[in-house]
Every structure is written in structure tokens, then in C-alpha cells.
Amino acid sequence: MTVRLDTSVQFLKGIGARRAEAFTRLGIRTVRDLLWHLPHRYVDASTVTPLARARVGDDVACVGRVVDTGVQPTRRGLRIFRAVLRDDSGVLECAWPGQAFLDRTIHVGQLLLVAGPVRFYHGRQMAPREFVILGDADGEDEPAGTDAGKVLPVYPATEGLSHKIIRGLIDRHLETLLGLTRDHMPEPQRLRLGLPALDDALRAVHRPHSVDQAEQGRRRLAFDELFDLQLMLVRARALAKRARGGVAFEIRRELTSRLKDALPFTLTADQRQAIREITADMIAPERMHRLLMGDVGTGKTVVALFAMLLAVENDYQAALMAPTELLAEQHGRTLETLLAPLGITPELLLGRQTAREKSEARSRLADGRSRIIVGTHALLQETVSFHRLGLVVIDEQHRFGVEQRATLIGKGDTPDVLLLSATPIPRSLALTLYGDLDISTLRERPPGRGEVRTAIRTGAHRDRVLEFVRDSCRAGRQVYIVLPVIEESERADLRAATTMAQRLGARWPDLRIGLVHGRMKADERDQIMRGFRNGDVDVLVATTVIEVGIDVPNATVMVVEHPERFGLAQLHQLRGRVGRGAEESHSILLVEDRVLPRLEAFAATTDGFKVAELDLAERGMGDLIGARQSGGFDLRQARLPQDADLLSQARALASEVIQADPGLEQPEGRAMRQRALARYPKAMELFRVG
Ligand code: ADP
Ligand code: MG
């Protein structure tokens, strides 16, 4: 049969039903999948050290044939696997402590590449960090001598399919498979970006002469991947913004101007810029589909209120939905204060209101008496309808599902949409996660707030930290103490919230200690949080459940136990709960005994975007996407933030292409669409509609 890119790998020589089955565990079904199955690393054997010249203290790579193996017990009960290698220059012993099972993998007669430090233990001995079997006792050796064989690709492998088998199969079919590919990237673009042609790129990643060359190849494939994703996202953005049936808001300068005059503070430059961007969206014939991103305390609510008033002065209603009752109440109060001079009272719709309160609120929404509505999920109920809903604002947007957002939006007359997020992310990540949205950012903090100082203290200072907590409380302030687990039984080595709350209660009988964690009922938790907000609790001991947006200006100290257990972005979210009043605030990270560089870097900055960059560099992209957006697209070849330059280029090119051919229906566009959909089948519906 003739092999095509979408042929099952099963039909390739050397792959039968069993191996094909094993390949599916790696996500490989078709020939295309196999060709795009990239090595996750390379072993550079171009600088191999002869065994006799591996000196104690060096870190080297060596190649030798296995002449002896054995498992040795030690006195401490640890079993060590040993293998002796020989080459033309001499012999070297290798030892793998605690890995007696290698007995089943490494055998006499094999040609082995090992890399690791050489130490002295009854003679020279290497403790390999990694090894690659280059040849079996009975089979052929890999061409370790030729130039092409010196940089060895190591593939993600699975049971029944070693990386060596995968390497052999790809190598065997590589030229045939390359003949099936077509490069859709226009030559001028490719040359402008300095990227290799597709077949050269694939050859370079699978059969590189140098690690550098492999990296060049990977970047080309990464570009394709990012470009395909951006095609989908730019298309999604265009669809979301499609013209709203003749409705465009007009700038009337009535309520919005009155709000500006009545504000008890001046807006920051970032806030003014965001308001300009939002206003421009709202008066345009296309729908607004914008994300307003900024750390807690940067003043997103006021910005959202300007948008809401613009809708109201155009005779529309505006709704603000928050993920919890507490946050909705807080927004309600903020809006009430800010709107009082304008004679407008916001409507509240919460789950805990009485049936009568709710039904009255609903009727005011339905007949249009209420113009500004703040609520929780209660807004989503079928019985809630609006007179003329022109703007939907969603706070902490990621805490709502796509369908929930769509339900609220569906209650309006193609309303404009403004999403709020208190999780700043770097531009590269934003383009990937939120590429279908326009983005405004608030980076600057309003003046007049106390600074948040971050300090790192070790366990030896725990008592002093606790004294500081007590003194702060006696001075009338409030304190958060955050712990990674609820109960000690979960992890014996970690301090737990319940134990801490008990201890502090016994230690400070005069202080009121509250406890909140994820296993409490939501209303119980809300009640304690309310108590803290109202000043009835001095110290709130908590796991990470404390609300992101909670605003308690009197809370000035945040202690985090085991900060090493948290991601940097999460730590930043936590410290955002203090520093909301005029007082200087403190965030104290209590480590056991060692100060980690990542925590030092974190303590040195207060900028959420900078923290987000550190976080991205630390955790990598896949993890972040997985955590933030289930059902999101995964990236296999691209790496962020390293490939951020490719990402911007891919975005620019995708925008050009979609602008010229929105549905990708021209011949060139169709080929691009096919390829992108083969990669991201979930995006199919983007091209089904007009
Ligand atoms: P976010 O939602 O971004 O966390 P909020 O909108 O809740 O922040 O604002 C936090 C507090 O800061 C509110 O009390 C708000 O009234 C106040 N605030 C907002 N903008 C300014 C400003 N430009 N100057 C001073 N205070 C401001
Ligand atoms: Mg907020």
C-alpha cells in the first residue's frame, strides 16, 4: 500500500499490531505523528572521553562495551548495580546505587554510552546520570563512529518501545516519510525568520550533526505549531467580535463624567488607558471581547464601573458577576459608595437572599428599573431575565466555565463582554491562553497604599515571627497565617492548619483565632471570612482557600508556612491579601532551614507580571496551561518563554492570513486550515460557522 501521512503507523515495516498499540500510549497513531515525535533530549557523544582518561572529579561521557555486571548489597541494605566497561584505552567501573533492577536491562556484550561524574571508591568509579544502550550483545551497533551518530536523539519511550527501538524505526523510515511532507510556509517568510525548510528541520531533529542544528530544526517546528495555534485563536477572536446588530454605544459623557468628578481619588495612568481601550471597543460596531488583567488592588472594579455606566447612559443594563457571595457583596458595597453621588443604587442578586428579596430583584431586572446588577451564579438562573442587557462583566473569569459565561451573555442583546483577572501573566502566555481576547493591563498600583514588604525567615526565627504576629494584633491589626495542608495526617512532615489554629488558641487566649480550609462547608467558611472582614477575628489561619479578591484593609501581616510548597504566582496571590490599607504590610515566608534562590527572587519584587515571568520560567508552559485551562491546547515543540520571539512572529503572520482570508477558504488558506485542524481537532467548530 502507499503510505500517506495519515496512514496508521501499523503499516510501516517493523511495526506490527503490538508496537502500534504501544505507540498509541505515546499519542502516536499515524505516520505524521511518528515523524513529529521529537526527541526530548540529545546525548552529545561528539566529545567522548576514552575510559582510561576519565579522571576522578571530572564529569564526562564515555562509550564502552560491557564486560562484567553484578548486583552488590551494601551494609545499609541498599543494592548497587555495577557494570564494567572496556574500550581500546582501558576499563572503567560504573555504579548505580539502589538500582539493582538495571540487572534486567544492562548485559555483558552491550555497547553503552554513559555520562556522569567520576569519583574515587576503591578505584575510579562513575555514577552515571544517564546511559544509552548503543548496541546489543547480538545485534548491530549504532554508528557511533560516524559524524551523524555522534549526537544521539533520545525519544520519549514507553513499555515495549524503548527509545532505541523508536530511534531505529524513525531512522529507517525517515527519508520515505520526509518525501510525504509539504512545506506550506512561504519561502520569503521562512527566510525572513531565518528558519530551515520543513524537511531539513525534521531531518535535523531526528538525525542531527550537532545539538545546535537539532535546536534550529526544533525552532522551525515550534514556529509551525505556534502559527497553527494562533490561526485558531485569531479566528476565534474574529468570531467573538462579530458585528452586533447595529448596536453601538455612544459617548454621552453623562454618568461617566459625573463619576469621574465624584471619585474620591484620581485614576492611575493605567486605569485611564484601560478605560480608553474599553470605550473604544464599546463604541465600535464590533462586540467587545476584552480581558482586563491586573494584580489585586490595582483598581479593576472602578474601570469596570466606567464601562457599566457607559452602557447605562446608553439606556442599557450592565451586570457584574463574581464567583462567590463574599466577592459579590464586596463589589456591591464598592459600587454603592462610588455610585451614591450619582443617585444610582446597584441591584444585588445573591444565593443567600430570601425568596422574596430575590423575586423583587428579578422583577426590577426584568422591567429595567435596575440598571446595574451585581451578583453570583444566581444571575445564571433561568428565572433571571433582563430588560436590555448591554454589558456583561465577569470577575475572576477563570472560575466560571465557558458555558456559565455563555449563559449570562446569552441573556443580553449581544452584549459587550469584559472579563477581569487578578492573575497577571506574561505576554507570551497571554497570547497563547487568551489569544482570542483583547487585553488591557493594569500594572501600576494606586498611590496611598502601604507597601508590602516580603521577608524570608527560617524556622529558628519562628517564635520571633509569632511574637510579631501577636504584637500586630495587640496594636489592632489583623493577620493571615497560611499553611499547605489541613491536617497533619495528610503529610506528617508539614505543618497543618488545624494544628496551628489549636496551638495559637492555647498560646494566645486573649486573641480570636479563626480557621478556614477547603473541607469546610462554603457557608461556614463565608461566615468566618465575614467575621475576619468585620474585625471579629484577629488571626485567620487558612489553607489557600482565602478568596483572591478579599479586601480587608486592616489585615497587615501574612505569614506563609512552607512557602517552598507553593508556586511563585500562588505566593504572589497570597501576599496580595495584605497591603490593602494605608499601613505598611508584611508578608513573611517561613522556610524550615534553607533560603531558596527562587524565593529570594520573589521577595525582591512586588510586580505581579515579573513574578509571572519567574513562574513561567520555573514551571514551563505545559504545566501552566494544564493548570489554568483544562481542555486547552498543549504545545509539544514550542517552549515558552524561550520561543517568545517565534510566538510574536506567528501571531503577526496569523493575523495577516486571517485578515486576508477569514474562513481560510482560498487554496493556500485551505491547506493551512487542514494542517492546523489536524493538530487541533477541537477547533473544528471555528470554521463551521460563516
Ligand atoms: P482589584 O479589583 O483590582 O483588586 P479594586 O477595584 O477592588 O481592585 O480596588 C481596590 C481598592 O482601591 C478599592 O477600594 C478602590 O476604591 C481603590 N482604588 C481604585 N483605584 C484607585 C485609585 N486610582 N486611587 C486610589 N484608590 C483606588
Ligand atoms: Mg477585584
Side-chain angles (χ1 to χ4, degrees), residues 265-268 271 295-302 446 449 580:
F265 45 74
T266 28
L267 296 169
T268 65
Q271 283 174 320
D295 258 336
V296 285
T298 48
K300 295 184 289 295
T301 315
V302 188
R449 306 289 195 79
R580 303 183 70 109

Side-chain angles (χ1 to χ4, degrees), residues 69-74 77-82 95-107:
T69 65
V71 173
Q72 251 184 2
T74 65
L78 194 68
R79 285 162 25 105
I80 298 182
F81 178 74
R82 288 172 52 257
W96 286 265
Q99 299 188 51
F101 54 84
L102 285 178
D103 194 13
R104 293 195 300 264
T105 313
I106 296 177
H107 306 292

Side-chain angles (χ1 to χ4, degrees), residues 188-216:
Q189 238 104 33
R190 185 172 73 68
L191 295 176
R192 187 159 52 85
L193 294 169
L195 295 170
L198 182 61
D199 51 351
D200 290 338
L202 285 163
R203 201 177 283 113
V205 295
H206 290 300
R207 212 186 265 163
H209 292 278
S210 68
V211 174
D212 256 13
Q213 192 192 31
E215 171 62 10
Q216 281 308 308

Side-chain angles (χ1 to χ4, degrees), residues 296-297 300-301 327 330-331 395-396 420 422 549 580:
V296 285
K300 295 184 289 295
T301 315
L327 289 176
Q330 193 172 289
H331 282 309
D395 192 21
E396 298 299 322
L420 310 183
R580 303 183 70 109

Side-chain angles (χ1 to χ4, degrees), residues 351-394:
R352 66 173 174 81
Q353 285 170 323
T354 65
R356 167 124 181 256
E357 283 170 327
K358 276 190 246 185
S359 98
E360 284 175 3
R362 279 198 301 264
S363 80
R364 284 191 295 268
L365 294 188
D367 64 20
R369 269 175 295 161
S370 289
R371 295 305 185 75
I372 291 201
I373 307 92
V374 179
T376 55
H377 298 79
L379 288 172
L380 301 176
Q381 280 160 356
E382 248 174 74
T383 48
V384 175
S385 65
F386 292 84
H387 175 61
R388 229 155 92 95
L389 180 62
L391 172 70
V392 166
V393 181
I394 301 181

Side-chain angles (χ1 to χ4, degrees), residues 581-649:
E583 305 282 324
E584 181 176 292
S585 290
H586 299 271
S587 142
I588 305 170
L589 309 181
L590 251 178
V591 297
E592 284 309 296
D593 50 11
R594 221 155 35 90
V595 177
L596 306 165
R598 61 187 280 270
L599 292 181
E600 278 181 328
F602 169 78
T605 183
T606 55
D607 180 350
F609 285 91
K610 194 151 249 164
V611 172
E613 273 156 30
L614 292 171
D615 195 51
L616 178 59
E618 179 174 293
R619 291 206 286 160
M621 181 80 184
D623 203 30
L624 287 175
I625 293 190
R628 290 250 169 81
Q629 181 175 308
S630 55
F633 305 111
D634 64 333
L635 294 178
R636 290 171 157 242
Q637 283 115 44
R639 294 186 195 138
L640 292 172
Q642 299 97 294
D643 293 334
D645 60 325
L646 294 178
L647 177 58
S648 315
Q649 313 265 20

